[in-house]
Each structure stands twice: as structure tokens, then as C-alpha cells.
Amino acid sequence: MKTLIAYSTLTGNTRKVCEAASKAFSQVEVKDIKEVDNLDYDLIVVGTWIDKGTADTKAKKFIETLENKKVAFIFTLGAYPDSKHAEDCTNKIKELFTENGNEVIGHYHCQGAIDPKLIEMMRKSFGPDHPHGPNPERVKRWEDASKHPDQNDLDKAYEYFKELIK
Ligand SMILES: Cc1cc2nc3c(=O)[nH]c(=O)nc-3n(C[C@H](O)[C@H](O)[C@H](O)COP(=O)(O)O)c2cc1C
């Protein structure tokens, strides 16, 4: 199965997970979305980081170019992978694909370290009661996220796709 893994990444988390997942395929190309020049593949896996609750702009634009393809997706996010937020992100991204007739065969996601510059901005700009401010729960989540993707996340990405294409 000729597979393309096309990723968008700001700080490298999503690229790492996509590269780990790619080891599960025998015939695969892994490319930054901006380097994709054709869509002639049996399966296209899109990797995106989560920006304001959905795929980031570059990934979204790329997804809009896909029609009637067999697809899967990978995302990394600052929130916990088993959170309602992660579930909402999954559903939103799935919808971006299905509204153009694409067939989504699976997806994988894990937590990813949040850009320290963004954390610094949130610490400086917002009080603890603000939805993005540094309350103890949020600070703990930022610290937890900073350790991801870890080796376990990468192994799980590989295993997920190995099983999916079996
Ligand atoms: C501008 C910006 C917006 C973000 N928005 C969200 C968000 O809405 N929800 C979330 O869980 N994480 C959010 N994040 C965290 C990133 O999705 C997460 O750190 C991701 O792993 C970054 O991936 P990358 O290293 O591939 O760029 C945001 C990060 C940035 C920089």
C-alpha cells in the first residue's frame, strides 16, 4: 500500500510521532505538508498539531485538497489524550475529512509539549481565573505535556498503525 504521511508541525512533536508511525509501513513517504506535490497514494495520513481545538491552519488547508481518498490522521495536543477536549478535536478533524467524501480508517493522538513561549505568554498575560491562566491544575497539565511525546507515545503510534494496516 503506497502511503503518504504529510505533517504540519510548529515545534517538532507531530513530526516525531509521524516518523515513528511511518515505521509501520513498507512503502511510505513522510513529508512536511508544504513539500507534498502529488496525491497519488493508496492511503494519506495527515499529521497536525492542535490549534484552538482543531487542526492547525496548514493542515486544514491541506485536508481541504483531499477528496474521496482513503485517509487516517495523527494529532498532538497540549491537553490530556483521554480528555473531552481531545475527543472534540478528534470529531472536528474527522468531520473535515468526511465532508469531502474521504474515508477515515483510523487515527492516533497523544500529548505534546506546549511551546514554552506560549506558556510564558499565558503566565504573564492571564490571572489564575482566566480560562488559559496558570491555576494549579493547568500548570500541572503544562508540566505533564512537556514530557511528551515520549518513547511510549512513539511506540504506541507504531503499534497502532501496524495493527491498522494488517
Ligand atoms: C498557538 C497554539 C495554540 C494551541 N492550541 C491548543 C488547543 O486548543 N488545545 C490543545 O490541547 N493544545 C493546544 N496547543 C498545544 C499544541 O497543540 C501541542 O503542544 C502540540 O504538541 C504542538 O505540536 P508541534 O510540536 O508539532 O507543533 C496549542 C499550541 C499553540 C502554540
Side-chain angles (χ1 to χ4, degrees), residues 9-14 49-53 76 78-79 85 112-114 118:
T9 190
L10 209 59
T11 61
N13 299 331
T14 310
W49 58 280
I50 295 299
D51 183 5
K52 295 177 218 73
T76 67
H85 183 61
I114 302 163
L118 180 64

Side-chain angles (χ1 to χ4, degrees), residues 24-147:
F25 298 88
S26 53
Q27 211 189 340
V28 62
E29 288 175 61
V30 187
K31 289 186 178 180
D32 191 307
I33 274 174
K34 60 180 186 272
E35 278 151 19
V36 175
D37 52 13
N38 85 86
L39 300 173
D40 185 19
Y41 296 87
D42 303 313
L43 173 67
I44 298 178
V45 182
V46 178
T48 178
W49 58 280
I50 295 299
D51 183 5
K52 295 177 218 73
T54 186
D56 78 278
T57 306
K58 283 185 194 155
K60 247 192 204 161
K61 286 204 172 128
F62 178 69
I63 294 168
E64 280 167 18
T65 69
L66 305 178
E67 277 179 24
N68 306 318
K69 298 277 183 195
K70 189 185 271 197
V71 297
F73 62 95
I74 290 171
F75 67 84
T76 67
L77 79 171
Y80 292 117
D82 58 354
S83 61
K84 169 81 169 58
H85 183 61
E87 193 186 327
D88 290 346
C89 293
T90 303
N91 291 334
K92 275 191 192 155
I93 297 171
K94 209 175 266 176
E95 213 174 295
L96 295 175
F97 285 105
T98 53
E99 64 195 9
N100 279 344
N102 299 292
E103 181 198 356
V104 180
I105 64 163
H107 102 278
Y108 175 82
H109 69 265
C110 66
Q111 215 174 7
I114 302 163
D115 188 342
K117 283 186 256 151
L118 180 64
I119 292 184
E120 197 186 315
M121 185 280 283
M122 292 190 285
R123 280 187 191 278
K124 280 190 183 152
S125 312
F126 306 133
D129 296 332
H130 185 278
H132 297 297
N135 68 16
E137 187 199 334
R138 207 162 288 118
V139 169
K140 164 91 168 66
R141 177 155 32 85
W142 294 342
E143 281 169 9
D144 288 343
S146 74
K147 301 177 191 112

Side-chain angles (χ1 to χ4, degrees), residues 1-5 20-28 42-45 70-72 105-107 157-166:
M1 184 163 49
K2 200 176 151 202
T3 301
L4 170 68
I5 303 184
S22 74
K23 309 255 184 325
F25 298 88
S26 53
Q27 211 189 340
V28 62
D42 303 313
L43 173 67
I44 298 178
V45 182
K70 189 185 271 197
V71 297
I105 64 163
H107 102 278
Y158 166 81
E159 281 156 21
Y160 177 81
F161 281 95
K162 194 89 194 158
E163 188 62 30
L164 185 73
I165 58 166
K166 215 157 74 180

